[in-house]
Amino acid sequence: MSDDHYPRFSDDEMNRRHALARGLMDSEGLDALLLYGFGGTNRSAQANMFWLSAYRDFNQAYLIFPKGGDASLFVGLYNHLHNAKVQAIFSDVRHGAYGNPEKMADQLDALAIGAGRIGLVGINPRFKNLIPFEHMDYLKERFPEADWMDVSAKFRDLRIVKSAEEIEWIREGARLSDLTMTACEEFARPGIPEIELAGRMAAAFRVEGGEQQTHFVTATPMVDPHTPLPWQNPRQRKLEAGDILLTEISAAYFGYAGQGLRPLPLAAG
């Protein structure tokens, strides 16, 4: 735990990641990486940003990671700026303002790479989430000589093989997920609403420092089931004897989650 009371990866671990990112820039002939992140499902769409900066924003954010020189982080909301400055490992952390990313573009100008080759790292290459259309339109108009290259998939590949430190965080996420399922077994009784059960399950990991990643809880009668899968939004429906409780639970330790998909039968009366 650091002096600011947030868990931290070691300097060696962060340097390892930065070296991998610069290796990607070397192999692709890039002058900089431009990363975009959004809140997504409990900030999961900030994973790339977090991997380099140790900060996950609740709104949109940009990170300029140049081949040479210091990185710059631009957060979406001004009232998040102070916390971002504490958590991020980079010293240049600013409010990115609203609308088009003008302040971020100003920094590209300051780095003299507005006519260079810039690698774009979006949210998830599987779904082709790059950066907002309006922002890309603005950047292309402002920097007509820039060569933009989507390297989201190649950047994702850098993150696939986890380090020993990351595996320890995943283990903690798995422990927190197990606590959640233990609470489910304790409180899942006929008469409790799904929404209350979900809240009691969430309390099990929150008091231990965990974060909610996926928290799906749905009950359905075993004699006449209406769904084969847990729903994303728990209801006010009360559990009944003879139900099967369907769950998909991922509690996370600062973005590193375990996961469990478990059915739990409630004995018929």
Side-chain angles (χ1 to χ4, degrees), residues 181 214-217 230 232 246-250 259-262:
M181 293 311 304
T214 302
H215 204 70
F216 305 158
V217 179
Q232 292 72 47
L246 305 175
T247 67
E248 181 178 347
I249 300 299
S250 291
Q259 187 173 49
L261 294 91
R262 301 176 190 172

Side-chain angles (χ1 to χ4, degrees), residues 110-262:
L111 292 169
I113 55 177
R117 185 172 171 85
I118 301 171
L120 299 172
V121 180
I123 295 170
N124 188 335
R126 181 181 182 185
F127 296 106
K128 298 297 182 182
N129 302 128
L130 193 54
I131 69 173
F133 171 82
E134 295 87 350
H135 290 192
M136 194 70 250
D137 211 34
Y138 169 81
L139 291 172
K140 286 183 176 180
E141 182 176 347
R142 178 158 174 178
F143 302 111
E145 297 181 9
D147 183 8
W148 306 97
M149 179 180 181
D150 182 2
V151 294
S152 302
K154 292 179 180 180
F155 188 88
R156 174 204 56 200
D157 291 346
L158 301 181
R159 297 176 43 233
I160 285 178
V161 179
K162 303 303 183 185
S163 68
E165 290 186 38
E166 288 179 293
I167 290 171
E168 286 304 309
W169 285 37
I170 293 170
R171 286 197 176 103
E172 179 63 7
R175 184 187 74 84
L176 294 165
S177 299
D178 284 344
L179 287 177
T180 310
M181 293 311 304
T182 299
C184 180
E185 294 173 8
E186 178 182 354
F187 291 106
R189 298 290 184 270
I192 188 172
E194 288 177 5
I195 191 74
E196 180 182 342
L197 176 60
R200 293 184 181 276
M201 292 167 65
F205 63 77
R206 289 300 291 177
V207 298
E208 294 272 342
E211 302 169 340
Q212 180 172 313
Q213 197 79 11
T214 302
H215 204 70
F216 305 158
V217 179
T218 305
T220 187
M222 284 187 277
V223 296
D224 186 23
H226 57 258
T227 177
L229 298 168
W231 290 353
Q232 292 72 47
N233 299 289
R235 303 167 294 175
Q236 295 288 350
R237 179 188 181 276
K238 294 181 179 180
L239 274 60
E240 299 176 359
D243 277 352
I244 183 79
L245 184 65
L246 305 175
T247 67
E248 181 178 347
I249 300 299
S250 291
Y253 183 70
F254 285 81
Y256 287 78
Q259 187 173 49
L261 294 91
R262 301 176 190 172

Side-chain angles (χ1 to χ4, degrees), residues 68-136:
D70 297 330
S72 299
L73 175 65
F74 297 85
V75 301
L77 296 176
Y78 181 78
N79 58 313
H80 294 187
L81 180 60
H82 185 76
N83 191 212
K85 288 183 174 182
V86 172
Q87 286 195 272
I89 63 171
F90 302 126
S91 59
D92 186 12
V93 181
R94 316 179 205 176
H95 177 219
Y98 309 103
N100 285 323
E102 296 180 12
K103 292 186 178 181
M104 179 273 289
D106 289 344
Q107 181 61 12
L108 292 177
D109 258 338
L111 292 169
I113 55 177
R117 185 172 171 85
I118 301 171
L120 299 172
V121 180
I123 295 170
N124 188 335
R126 181 181 182 185
F127 296 106
K128 298 297 182 182
N129 302 128
L130 193 54
I131 69 173
F133 171 82
E134 295 87 350
H135 290 192
M136 194 70 250

